[in-house]
Each structure stands twice: as structure tokens, then as C-alpha cells.
Amino acid sequence: MAAPGGSGRFACSPLPRRLPGAKSWRGPVLGLVTHHHSHTGPDKAEFLLLSKQLLTSILPASPPRSSVRSGEMAKLTQLIDNEVFWAYATYTTIVLLKMMLMSPVTAYFRITRKAFANPEDTASLGKGESAKKFLRTDPDVERVRRGHLNDLENIVPFLGIGLLYTLCGPELSSALLHFRIFAGSRILHTFAYLIPLPQPSRGLSWAVGYVVTISMAYQVLKTALYL
């Protein structure tokens, strides 16, 4: 504040040496006051420099961007080095490849059974009315398609829930048990659908894989919500 009498000088009270979480800022403040006392017309550039030093001293320093990136990279490296994550990646790859194989199997049955869904697929078999008889459904083709659809309904939830389960830090032995049972149940389910095997083989293989996914989901909720 300006002192009484309009002298243009500052009245300065004692300043604390340090704020919590901040560097010492008494020096820049006293520099501003001394500068004003010693010059009737202070240089603007020098005044702005002292003001910048004051703000830098008071405001807590933000962490460097490089250190933030290093922390993120450390977390990513920790995840990659996790054995449970690699177990998840292994069995996820297995079930995804199995699901992808259902597409060529479907194509095989369509060609061998001459049962197509699109008119252009019958171009090599004839024209006009002679080709329309191949636009039909076939029980074997539909069976493969139902197996493929069942894969989608069960493997996709496993991908998401399995990853969350991996991030919860389970024991490697427990995680391997979940992953192996699920992968085995899905492979057995496919054979039971395509051969076909007598019931309840297909129903049991589906139920086992479904229970594994529910078990992992429960572990995730237990860890996150303390159930």
C-alpha cells in the first residue's frame, strides 16, 4: 500500500520466509520493495522480471511432463511384465483363433452343401431359375452358424472381464485355472456342436465356461467394491 502523504513508497510488514509447499519467496518481494524505494521511475522490464520471480516462488511447481510420462511408462511396463497378463494373452489368443476358424468352417459347409445366402454366390452354378435352388438353408450350415454365434456371446464377455480380472492381481495359479478351463470348455463346445455329440455334453461345456466368466466377474467386483 502507499504510505500516507502520497510519497509513493510502500509500507512493508515482516514477511514469512516460506509458505507450505513453496520455495522461499521473501527475496523476490524484498527486491520489488527495494527497487521501488531506490528508483522514482522503475524500469518496466526489471519490474516484470522480479514479479515473475515472485510468482514462481509462491506457486508450487508442477511436475515435469517427462516425469509424468515416465510414470505412465513404468505402469505399462509393470503390466507387461505381469505373468498373469501373459497367461491371459495366451488363452485369449487361443479362443479368438478358435472363433475365427468358424468362418472358414461355415464357408466349407456352404460350398460342400451348395447352400448359399446371396444370389451372387451362385453365379458359377448356373443362371436364372437353375441358380435359385441353391439359395437355401442347410441344417449343417445353420449348425455351424449357431456355434459361431455362441462363441461371440461367450468369448467377447470373457475378453473384457478377463482383462479386468488380470488387473486385480490374482494369483498366477488361480488365473491359469480360470483361463484353461474356459478355453477347454469353448473348444469342447465347438466339437459338441459340429460332430454333434449327444447332450448334455454341449450344455455342460457351455455352462462350465459361463461359470468361469461369472467367477472372474465376482473377483473383480470383490476387489473393486469390497463385496
Side-chain angles (χ1 to χ4, degrees):
M1 299 178 60
S7 62
R9 297 176 180 274
F10 288 98
C12 181
S13 59
L15 297 171
R17 290 184 176 273
R18 187 178 296 273
L19 285 177
K23 296 180 292 185
S24 176
W25 55 290
R26 186 176 183 181
V29 174
L30 291 180
L32 280 173
V33 175
T34 303
H35 183 85
H36 188 78
H37 273 280
S38 59
H39 297 80
T40 57
D43 182 73
K44 183 178 181 180
E46 187 175 355
F47 183 83
L48 291 176
L49 177 61
L50 290 173
S51 302
K52 183 178 180 180
Q53 292 177 355
L54 172 61
L55 293 175
T56 304
S57 302
I58 295 176
L59 297 177
S62 59
R65 185 175 299 180
S66 59
S67 64
V68 174
R69 291 180 178 175
S70 299
E72 294 175 352
M73 291 299 297
K75 293 179 181 179
L76 180 60
T77 303
Q78 184 179 4
L79 175 62
I80 293 177
D81 291 339
N82 190 346
E83 291 181 335
V84 176
F85 173 77
W86 284 112
Y88 164 79
T90 299
Y91 288 96
T92 295
T93 303
I94 291 173
V95 295
L96 285 177
L97 286 174
K98 188 212 76 66
M99 184 172 66
M100 291 173 62
L101 284 174
M102 298 299 287
S103 293
V105 171
T106 304
Y108 168 79
F109 277 96
R110 283 197 180 279
I111 294 172
T112 56
R113 304 299 191 269
K114 291 182 172 57
F116 301 98
N118 304 299
E120 61 271 18
D121 298 334
T122 65
S124 61
L125 301 175
K127 294 182 179 180
E129 295 298 325
S130 62
K132 288 184 179 180
K133 64 181 180 180
F134 299 109
L135 295 176
R136 61 187 181 88
T137 59
D138 180 83
D140 294 332
V141 174
E142 294 304 310
R143 177 175 289 275
V144 178
R145 293 183 64 199
R146 289 194 298 272
H148 197 177
L149 179 61
N150 194 272
D151 276 345
L152 290 171
E153 293 172 349
N154 289 270
I155 292 177
V156 172
F158 168 81
L159 298 181
I161 294 176
L163 179 59
L164 295 176
Y165 172 72
T166 300
L167 297 176
C168 290
E171 294 291 334
L172 178 61
S173 57
S174 177
L176 283 173
L177 182 64
H178 281 84
F179 300 154
R180 287 170 177 170
I181 292 178
F182 181 84
S185 68
R186 293 313 306 171
I187 293 173
L188 178 59
H189 182 271
T190 298
F191 281 115
Y193 230 135
L194 297 184
I195 292 177
L197 296 178
Q199 285 282 37
S201 58
R202 191 180 80 241
L204 287 176
S205 60
W206 169 83
V208 169
Y210 195 83
V211 169
V212 168
T213 304
I214 294 297
S215 174
M216 291 190 298
Y218 172 75
Q219 294 298 324
V220 172
L221 293 175
K222 182 179 178 182
T223 302
L225 302 179
Y226 303 99
L227 297 180

